[in-house]
Amino acid sequence: MRFLKAIALGIALSSCVANVQEPTAQSEAHLIFSTSSNVTDQIESYDFLVAATGGYYDKTLYVINSGKTLAREIADMTVSGQRFLFKGGVYPGTGGTCATELNEGDFCTIVLRFSPDTNTIFTGEYILSFSDKVSGTKQSTLSVTGKGGLPASLAISDGPTYDFGPTPIGTSLDYTFTVTNSGEARAVNVSEIGLATHFGLKGGVYPGDGGTCNLEITGGGSCTIVVSFTPANVGTLTDTIDLLYFDGINSQHAQRDVQGDGVLPAVLEISDAPIYSFGTVIVGQAPSPSHVFTVTNTGGLPATGIFIGGLAAPYTFTGGTFPGTLGTCTATVGVGASCTVDVSFTPTAPGVLTDTINIVYNNGVLMASTDRDLTANAVMPASIQISDAPLYDYGTVAVGSINSHSFTLTNTGGVAATVMSGSGLAAPFAFAGGVYPGAGGTCTPVLNAGSSCSVVVQYSPVGTGVLTQTMDITYNNGLAAVTSSRDVQGNALPPANLSISDGPTYDYGNLAIGATVSHTFTVTNSGSVSATSVNVTGLSAPFAFVGGAFPGTGGTCTTTIIAGASCTLVVSFTPTATALTTSSIDMNYNDGANNVVSSRPVQGTGVAPAVLSISDGPTYDFGAAVIGTTVNYTFTVTNTGGIDATTITGTGLVAPFTFTGGAYPGTGGTCGATLAAGANCAIVVSYSPTTLTTDTDTIQLNYYDGAVNQSAFRDVTGQGIPPGLLSISDSPIYDFGTIANSATLTYVFTVTNIGGATTTAMAGSGLAAPFTFLGGLYPGTGGTCGLSLAPTASCTIVIEFAPVATGAYVDTIDINYNDGIGAQVSSRDIQGSGAVPALLSINSAPLFDFSQRAIGSS
């Protein structure tokens, strides 16, 4: 019965697996097994191969939801087979990540364990149950097989000890060992733990660069590890390769002893380290200097295959070939042996020249080389260069003057010039003081290479004209006596003569105290030679050079003014008091022979600066002005200073105040950009209120007072008021009532100004018979209204109603006036009725007789 149930369960599981592997278009979950997180590595069975009998082998596999919805309620339904289980005994196995749910497209891991107890083949199944929203509970099955066998057993080739042999210190020698698993089970977690100093896995990481071993080595399989021997010191060095691994039951070690000999390679050293210098050598010097270098082998192996490179002219092996005429080196230098090479230096051009003796050889392991740097300073013979080539011209000088010039002698060669002396000069040229190198000269009989010294030569003409001579300097250049020369000449002419423009006295005129005015003077040299050592004295405050120093900022004069040339001086005048002040420009100079002075007197008058004042201070009040109207006022501007006010501009005003017409000085104003001292002019300002408020502002006149920029101010104010507004009493209509035809009736109306401004040009109109102003004219006889009416004031008008016919009459009283802005009208409607006059009659006509009555009766 149990067998039949197993068959039925297998059929059911097969059907489930088939369903999982063939997704439908519905949104179902499908769990598959894989060797990686990639669905393409899906498996339906897994072979554990051989595991050690009595031990175990663990395998991590992936579970992937390849369906289209969430897999839920995931659990291990069963694990069949006696020796298969989850690691730790419970799904998903120790270290596994699978839980009870897995989203579509996601994966997780399970850890399986196979632990055979006999050397036989085992089979089984891992069944995961799960559910989704579409198909209910489902299953995925993984078939597994495995075999019990002998534990893993690793052995390393090349026993009992592998010898790397002699290896030079600092080099590395590799060897590939074969690792063989003679057991049936896999060796797992394989690692190397034994190698230390001198020996190591190539590249530093198991299995060594180029090795094929992994963390697992299958039963009966083999692979390689690569070990490097890198000796760090001389002698026989040993170590042990130790592979630690798990054989399926226990941790084991596979070992192989290794050894090698560290030796020193051949090492050649060249004497005269670090750089050999041939010193200073004159180009063309004979014979060429040479030097013998010693080459020594300080290593532990012979140096072989020696050949030389590096040398190029002007360095050569003496005689032209290695090892040089006095050299003894050959192709081999034994251990501890020495030999020599002979090198010459033959320069053809100056300069610091370097090269390298390069000896290349086999050190017993590889090709090596050793060097010796060479240097030498090739120099040219001494060569005296005299400054001021090719001809020094003392220029045009004044007759009677003494003119000295220091010539610089420079040795541009590579060795000292010796036995130096001077000759060749005759009057009017001579070494200063009459003897070489001239007074003040520094030259001696010897001038070292690269050094300089001086000789001083005077030119002292006693007549006009151009004269030329040659100075000769004779010396030994290290090989022979030679001469360097310098031609000299000079032209003697009459002395310089400076004149200053604007004579006899330059007057700066009137200037405000504190102001500064400058004037440019022209200085002309009408002589035939340059004026030198030019400077100016004599100027005193309030006169000075602009900027404080000769020749004044913008001036062009220097300490030398050549013949026929002109230059400029810029002198300022800055008065500090109201008075006439004088001074003098005294120009001191050397005319080529003597010190002389040219002068120019100057003067100027200080006056008080301009001061502008604006009339109607401290504050001008435009008074009350009707909103929407404009009030103009003319202010007087007066210059009370002693000099013109200039660059006058008006600013400061903003609406409702402005210069009349919108711009300074205002329409009708007479002020311009300048106002003379003591003069006055007019500016016109408008006030145009727009709101019921008191407005204030400040008139600002900016001007230059002759020294600094200043401003004059005048405060202004004004009040915006509403226009006048007349109101006539007895609104909305006054009724005279009914009166008899040809009768008259008068009524007095009150007119009140309820506005803010006086009304003007008042007049009455609009009435026609039977209505009229009493007496026929506004304001009617007895009326008090006139042409104007102040704010809040009242007056009266008298209106007469005199109907001449029966009937109702209507009319309107119109009071015409100007409200401060324009013409307005205030009106009052009136009405009245005319009727036939009253007529009384007495009965008992024509005579009523009381007859006789007693006296006293009624």
Side-chain angles (χ1 to χ4, degrees):
M1 179 65 70
R2 184 177 300 173
F3 177 74
L4 293 176
K5 287 182 178 180
I7 293 174
L9 178 60
I11 295 172
L13 290 177
S14 297
S15 175
C16 180
V17 171
N19 289 336
V20 170
Q21 294 174 347
E22 297 178 5
T24 68
Q26 298 176 341
S27 298
E28 297 182 358
H30 301 285
L31 297 186
I32 64 172
F33 299 95
S34 177
T35 57
S36 72
S37 60
N38 193 327
V39 71
T40 59
D41 294 328
Q42 176 183 351
I43 59 174
E44 298 178 16
S45 62
Y46 178 73
D47 189 353
F48 280 88
L49 299 177
V50 179
T53 300
Y56 61 86
Y57 178 74
D58 294 335
K59 178 63 179 179
T60 298
L61 294 177
Y62 290 82
V63 177
I64 302 174
N65 183 353
S66 63
K68 298 182 179 179
T69 189
L70 175 70
R72 301 179 300 170
E73 301 174 351
I74 303 173
D76 59 316
M77 180 175 178
T78 182
V79 179
S80 64
Q82 295 179 340
R83 310 309 300 175
F84 298 100
L85 68 160
F86 286 101
K87 181 180 180 180
V90 180
Y91 164 86
T94 302
T97 62
C98 288
T100 58
E101 293 185 350
L102 189 61
N103 286 322
E104 62 274 20
D106 281 357
F107 64 86
C108 60
T109 59
I110 57 176
V111 183
L112 312 182
R113 173 166 286 185
F114 172 47
S115 53
D117 56 355
T118 61
N119 293 352
T120 58
I121 295 176
F122 296 86
T123 61
E125 291 179 330
Y126 286 88
I127 302 173
L128 293 183
S129 66
F130 63 96
S131 65
D132 59 26
K133 294 180 179 180
V134 178
S135 304
T137 302
K138 302 161 68 171
Q139 297 177 351
S140 290
T141 300
L142 177 68
S143 298
V144 292
T145 60
K147 180 181 181 297
L150 295 175
S153 178
L154 298 185
I156 306 173
S157 64
D158 299 280
T161 299
Y162 178 76
D163 190 350
F164 281 83
T167 304
I169 293 173
T171 64
S172 183
L173 185 61
D174 301 331
Y175 187 75
T176 300
F177 295 86
T178 298
V179 180
T180 302
N181 183 357
S182 60
E184 296 178 296
R186 278 171 288 203
V188 297
N189 298 327
V190 182
S191 63
E192 200 290 317
I193 62 171
L195 297 176
T197 306
H198 309 296
F199 297 90
L201 293 171
K202 183 177 182 180
V205 179
Y206 170 85
D209 293 346
T212 61
C213 289
N214 294 313
L215 295 177
E216 294 187 3
I217 302 175
T218 59
S222 63
C223 59
T224 59
I225 60 174
V226 182
V227 177
S228 296
F229 173 45
T230 308
N233 51 268
V234 175
T236 299
L237 307 170
T238 62
D239 207 340
T240 299
I241 303 170
D242 187 358
L243 293 183
L244 174 65
Y245 64 98
F246 182 70
D247 68 357
I249 300 176
N250 298 301
S251 293
Q252 302 290 350
H253 292 267
Q255 297 181 332
R256 176 61 56 238
D257 291 335
V258 291
Q259 70 178 33
D261 294 322
V263 297
L264 292 173
V267 177
L268 294 186
E269 295 181 357
I270 306 175
S271 64
D272 301 281
I275 300 174
Y276 177 75
S277 176
F278 282 84
T280 299
V281 181
I282 299 175
V283 174
Q285 177 179 330
S288 298
S290 63
H291 184 72
V292 175
F293 297 86
T294 298
V295 180
T296 302
N297 183 357
T298 62
L301 295 174
T304 61
I306 295 175
F307 67 92
I308 303 295
L311 289 183
Y315 294 94
T316 60
F317 288 106
T318 304
T321 59
F322 171 81
T325 303
L326 301 178
T328 62
C329 287
T330 62
T332 299
V333 179
V335 176
S338 297
C339 63
T340 58
V341 291
D342 183 8
V343 177
S344 296
F345 176 59
T346 309
T348 59
V352 175
L353 305 174
T354 62
D355 206 339
T356 300
I357 303 171
N358 177 232
I359 299 179
V360 181
Y361 61 97
N362 190 302
N363 67 2
V365 180
L366 45 73
M367 297 304 294
S369 65
T370 185
D371 297 328
R372 176 61 54 241
D373 291 333
L374 308 176
T375 186
N377 183 21
V379 298
M380 298 299 292
S383 177
I384 300 297
Q385 304 296 316
I386 306 175
S387 64
D388 305 283
L391 167 69
Y392 178 74
D393 191 346
Y394 283 83
T396 300
V397 300
V399 173
S401 63
I402 298 174
N403 306 277
S404 297
H405 182 73
S406 178
F407 293 86
T408 300
L409 277 58
T410 303
N411 183 355
T412 60
V415 295
T418 59
V419 200
M420 290 174 57
S421 62
S423 61
L425 297 175
F429 298 95
F431 288 107
V435 179
Y436 168 88
T442 61
C443 288
T444 65
V446 176
L447 183 59
N448 290 325
S451 297
S452 296
C453 64
S454 62
V455 295
V456 182
V457 176
Q458 286 182 344
Y459 170 48
S460 306
V462 295
T464 61
V466 177
L467 294 174
T468 303
Q469 287 190 23
T470 300
M471 171 179 61
D472 293 328
I473 302 295
T474 302
Y475 61 98
N476 188 292
N477 71 356
L479 300 175
V482 293
T483 298
S484 294
S485 300
R486 177 63 57 242
D487 291 335
V488 292
Q489 73 176 24
N491 182 20
L493 293 174
N497 181 33
L498 298 186
S499 61
I500 307 173
S501 66
D502 300 284
T505 298
Y506 179 74
D507 190 350
Y508 283 84
N510 293 337
L511 187 64
I513 293 172
T516 298
V517 65
S518 300
H519 182 73
T520 300
F521 295 87
T522 299
V523 179
T524 303
N525 183 356
S526 59
S528 298
V529 298
S530 296
T532 59
S533 302
V534 178
N535 68 88
V536 173
T537 60
L539 277 180
S540 58
F543 301 93
F545 285 109
V546 174
F550 165 83
T553 303
T556 61
C557 289
T558 63
T559 56
T560 298
I561 304 173
I562 64 175
S566 296
C567 62
T568 57
L569 305 173
V570 185
V571 178
S572 64
F573 171 49
T574 308
T576 57
T578 55
L580 174 67
T581 308
T582 62
S583 189
S584 179
I585 304 170
D586 295 329
M587 179 162 278
N588 307 286
Y589 64 98
N590 187 289
D591 66 0
N594 300 291
N595 294 324
V596 294
V597 179
S598 291
S599 299
R600 174 61 55 236
V602 292
Q603 68 180 29
T605 303
V607 297
V611 178
L612 295 188
S613 62
I614 306 174
S615 66
D616 300 279
T619 301
Y620 176 75
D621 190 352
F622 279 83
V626 176
I627 294 172
T629 64
T630 297
V631 180
N632 299 328
Y633 188 77
T634 300
F635 295 86
T636 299
V637 180
T638 304
N639 182 356
T640 60
I643 198 168
D644 293 352
T646 60
T647 63
I648 303 172
T649 59
T651 61
L653 295 178
V654 295
F657 296 96
T658 182
F659 287 104
T660 303
Y664 164 86
T667 304
T670 59
C671 291
T674 300
L675 185 60
N680 57 52
C681 60
I683 58 174
V684 184
V685 176
S686 297
Y687 173 49
S688 304
T690 58
T691 58
L692 298 175
T693 185
T694 297
D695 299 299
T696 61
D697 207 341
T698 300
I699 304 168
Q700 179 175 338
L701 294 183
N702 304 305
Y703 65 98
Y704 183 73
D705 70 357
V708 295
N709 291 322
Q710 301 282 7
S711 295
F713 302 94
R714 176 61 55 238
D715 292 334
V716 291
T717 188
Q719 183 178 16
I721 60 174
L725 177 62
L726 296 184
S727 171
I728 305 174
S729 64
D730 300 281
S731 62
I733 183 170
Y734 178 76
D735 191 350
F736 280 84
T738 302
I739 65 173
N741 293 332
S742 299
T744 62
L745 182 64
T746 61
Y747 187 78
V748 178
F749 292 87
T750 299
V751 180
T752 303
N753 184 354
I754 61 175
T758 299
T759 58
T760 60
M762 292 172 57
S765 64
L767 295 178
F771 298 97
T772 184
F773 288 100
L774 181 62
L777 296 175
Y778 163 86
T781 302
T784 61
C785 290
L787 293 177
S788 62
L789 187 61
T792 72
S794 297
C795 63
T796 59
I797 57 175
V798 183
I799 305 299
E800 181 182 60
F801 176 45
V804 295
T806 301
Y809 295 92
V810 294
D811 208 341
T812 299
I813 305 168
D814 291 329
I815 302 297
N816 302 294
Y817 65 96
N818 189 296
D819 65 357
I821 300 176
Q824 304 290 346
V825 178
S826 289
S827 300
R828 175 62 57 240
D829 291 334
I830 54 178
Q831 67 183 21
S833 298
V836 176
L839 179 60
L840 299 181
S841 63
I842 304 174
N843 62 357
S844 301
L847 175 66
F848 178 77
D849 187 356
F850 282 89
S851 76
Q852 292 181 346
R853 295 285 189 272
I855 295 172
S857 64
S858 173

